[in-house]
Structures are given as structure tokens and as C-alpha cells.
Amino acid sequence: ITELAVDLPAVDDAGMAALGDALASAPRLRRARVGWFGTEGRTARELVTRLASSRTLTALAIGAGVLMPGATTDAAAVSALAAALQSSASLREVDLGALPLTEASAAELAEALAASASLTSVCPAPSHLPGAALGHVVGLVRASGALRALSIRGPRQLGTAGGRAVLASLGHSAGLTELSLVGVGMQGASAADLAPALGAAGRLRTLDLSRNWLRDAGLEAVGAGLRVNSCLTSLSLVGMGATAVGVRHVAAAVRENSTLTELRLDGNAVGEDGAAAVAEMLLANGALKSLGLRQCKLGDGGISAIGRALPENSSLEALDLTFNRFTSHGAAALLEGMGLNRGVAQLDLWPWTVDSEGVNALSSMLRNNSTLACLDLGPATFSSSDLLALAGAIREHSKLRKLGIKGGQELCAGRMALLVALEHSQHLVDLWHRRRQLVHWRASGALRGRT
């Protein structure tokens, strides 16, 4: 056994004690999650401390109800857990995401985590984190020399003051490389701290600020930070309440940035104006590999602008343009650019009503493009003749390995044309149809499954 999840509501003491004895000496156990037990759970708490002191365990997640006999956390159990965490030589990841913490228990755990020589990833319990305990989390970031990843996720527990405190601690961290503050309640007042925090975070590689209502001011501050930050490789700004105004600031900064490889702007009102700025970014940037523009209200104008930039960009490998209210006209403009692109390997392009113009654009793109490996068209419905045309293009495409079509293709002639085309394809290994895997076979080209 290398991974264990225990989430049983009615385990008696004898059963839990037996499980603890067995797992304490399990020679290959690496990851464990202990969930809700619904009782006072004395033996459950003992199990957690035994697991924490295991010599082989590298990841431990603790659920609510394990260290709390009632509505409050068992102080003695927290002390035992803290001692085990501090002395562990193998534990790398700890998730306390559902564990209610008092200020005293937060202080005790933070001190133990900071003193650990092996721990690299910590997820505290934000849903139950009292404001007074925040200082101990910040102290953990400052004091731990081994900590590499910190994840705090809503609902809105840190707030503006808490978010600012965590951001301010980045400059004092000895080794933090990943920070996730998702939906923790940061708002406009936190924006002023983003630029200096990014400038001072000399080791940070991954930053996720998604679902914080920082709006355009927040994205402007992020843009200013990116201009002085030379180490960040992944940035997620999903659902920030921003418009084209804020997106332009980020896009302008990324144009000059040579380290960022992943950018997600999903769920912001980017619109056509913002898409134009993103297109200019793609023309100038040669480092970005993954771009997320899901549900950004791009419309035909925005999709077309992105398409016009693709022939000049060779670094981008993954592009997500789903849920953007475009038609076949916009899709055709994007696919025209994809036909001349020599970098994108994964394209998500749906939903849209595929008509003859769209099918012709798809077929032309597949014949001209030599790098696309995964194409997801989502709930697209094709006529039999359209599927025949698409099938012919697939036979000529040299790299496509996965095709997603989740619409209702009711005409057997078109579906059989696809199967025949796929049987002759030397690379395609997956065909997804109506949310089910229709065919899967080896890259040798021999068709092994039929529907």
C-alpha cells in the first residue's frame, strides 16, 4: 500500500487501533488522508500522530472531526501532532484544510512546521482560521527555510488585511516558490501590495490569485510587478472582476517578460479590446507556452484578433478559448491563423455552431497545420457531408492524436467516414464523441475498438 484514504463515520476503537498498528510500520506508505469520523475519535487522533511520525510517509491530509471531540480542537491532540510533524524526517506535504484552529493551536502548529527540516508544502485551514492566527501563518512563511509551497483557499477568510500580510512576507521567505491565495477575500486595497511583493519575491515561481475581487487595479499592479520580476513562470488571475483596462496592463508587461510560461485570465471581461492587447502580446512574446482565455467575452472580433497573431508566434503550445460567444465567422479567422501556426499543440475551441464555413476552415487548418495534437470542438453537431469533409482532412493531418466532438452526430455515414479516416491515421489514438470515448487504439494505426 502506497496511498491510503480513511473516511469512515463509524469505526470503533478496536478497529482504528488495529489499523494504526498496521500502518505505523507500513514499509511503502507514502500518502494518507484521514477524514471525518463523527465521534470523539480518540483512536483516530492517535492514528494521525502515528502517521505523522511514520518514516516513509511524505504527504498527510487531515479532515475535520479528527482532532476535535466537539466544536473545538483537542489541544492535547494538536500538541501530539505538532511534535510528530516537527520530528518527521520524511513528511513533505501537510494539508490542514478542514481542521478548525484556535489561535493557540495555530501558533503551536506553525512553530512546529517552521522547525521541520523536511516539510516543503503546507495548506493551512483557511475556512476556520481566526484572524488572530494569521500572524502565525505569516511567521511560518518568514521562518521556514524548507517551505516551498503555501496554499490558502477561501471562503474569503483572509480578507484584504490578511492577504496584504501574506504578500508582504514574500520578501522575507527563504525558499517559497509556490503561493496560492484562491478566493480568500482580497479586494481593491490589496492591489497596492502586489507590485512590491512580486518585485521582492526573488524565488517565487507560481502565483495563483484567482477569485479575489481585485478588479482592474489589481491587474495593473500585477503588471507593474511583472516588469521587475524575473523568476515567475506561472500566473493565474481567474475571475478577478477585471475588464480590458486591467488586461492591457498585464499584456503589456508580459510582452517584455521572458520567464512567464503560463498565464490564465479566465472569467474576466477581456472583450475585443482586451483580446487586441493579448494579440499584441503574442506577437512580441517568445516565452509563453500556455494561455487561458476561457469565458472572457471575446466574441468574433476577439477570436479573430488572436487568430491573426498566431502565425507569428511559435512558443505557445496550449490555447483555451472555450465559452467566448463566437460564431463560425470568428472561428474561421482563428483557424486560418492556426493553419500557419507552428507551435500550438492543444486547442480548445467551443461552443459554436459549425456550418459549412466552419467545416471548410477546420479542414483547411488540419491540412496545413503540422503541430496540433489535441483538438476539442466540444458540443459541435456536424452533418454527414461535413463529417465526410472533416474525415478527409484528418487522414492528411500528420500529428493529431486526440479529437473531441461531443455533439449528436446522428448520421451513420458521417460517423463511419470518421472511423475509416481514423483507421488510416498513423497517430490519432483517441476519439471522443458525445462525452464518451468512442474509439481508442494504439499509435500503430491498427483499429482495435469499434462502435
Side-chain angles (χ1 to χ4, degrees), residues 32-356:
R33 179 182 65 81
V34 184
W36 180 273
F37 288 87
T39 63
E40 292 193 2
R42 177 182 58 82
T43 49
R45 298 192 291 275
E46 292 176 359
L47 171 61
V48 170
T49 54
R50 290 190 187 190
L51 287 173
S53 56
S54 165
R55 295 183 178 181
T56 62
L57 196 69
T58 61
L60 176 63
I62 303 172
V66 177
L67 302 181
M68 48 177 291
T72 59
T73 306
D74 187 330
V78 170
S79 297
L81 175 62
L85 292 176
Q86 184 171 347
S87 62
S88 174
S90 63
L91 207 59
R92 300 287 184 270
E93 303 174 22
V94 171
D95 186 346
L96 306 175
L99 180 64
L101 295 177
T102 63
E103 182 182 359
S105 61
E108 189 168 12
L109 282 174
E111 182 178 351
L113 294 172
S116 170
S118 64
L119 201 66
T120 62
S121 177
V122 175
C123 181
S127 298
H128 307 278
L129 192 64
L134 175 64
H136 302 299
V137 176
V138 173
L140 169 62
V141 176
R142 290 171 174 261
S144 176
L147 189 64
R148 296 293 179 267
L150 176 66
S151 175
I152 305 178
R153 296 177 178 265
R156 302 183 299 277
Q157 291 299 312
L158 287 184
T160 297
R164 298 179 73 172
V166 174
L167 290 172
S169 69
L170 293 178
H172 303 277
S173 172
L176 194 70
T177 61
E178 299 180 24
L179 176 63
S180 178
L181 300 175
V182 177
V184 294
M186 295 170 59
Q187 295 186 7
S190 304
D193 297 284
L194 287 171
L198 285 174
R203 296 177 180 271
L204 197 66
R205 299 290 183 270
T206 301
L207 177 62
D208 190 347
L209 297 173
S210 299
R211 299 184 180 89
N212 291 291
W213 208 245
L214 293 173
R215 305 175 71 91
D216 290 331
L219 266 67
E220 182 179 356
V222 169
L226 285 175
R227 294 180 186 278
V228 294
N229 183 289
S230 59
C231 60
L232 200 67
T233 61
S234 177
L235 177 62
S236 183
L237 303 171
V238 176
M240 304 277 282
T243 67
V245 175
V247 170
R248 278 197 290 267
H249 288 287
V250 173
V254 176
R255 286 182 63 177
E256 306 168 4
N257 188 288
S258 59
T259 59
L260 195 70
T261 59
E262 181 182 8
L263 175 63
R264 299 211 65 91
L265 295 169
D266 310 339
N268 292 293
V270 177
E272 293 187 9
D273 291 342
V278 171
E280 293 177 4
M281 174 193 78
L282 292 176
L283 288 172
N285 181 278
L288 199 66
K289 294 183 178 181
S290 178
L291 176 61
L293 292 169
R294 186 183 183 95
Q295 203 170 358
C296 288
K297 302 180 181 179
L298 300 184
D300 284 342
I303 291 287
S304 300
I306 300 294
R308 288 191 293 271
L310 289 178
E312 305 299 324
N313 182 287
S314 59
S315 65
L316 199 65
E317 297 176 358
L319 179 60
D320 186 352
L321 296 172
T322 52
F323 293 108
N324 273 297
R325 303 179 184 176
F326 57 91
T327 67
S328 254
H329 180 70
L334 179 96
L335 293 169
E336 182 179 354
M338 276 294 301
L340 300 173
N341 177 270
R342 296 295 179 265
V344 176
Q346 178 174 341
L347 175 64
D348 297 286
L349 189 66
W350 56 276
W352 53 295
T353 301
V354 184
D355 55 18
S356 57

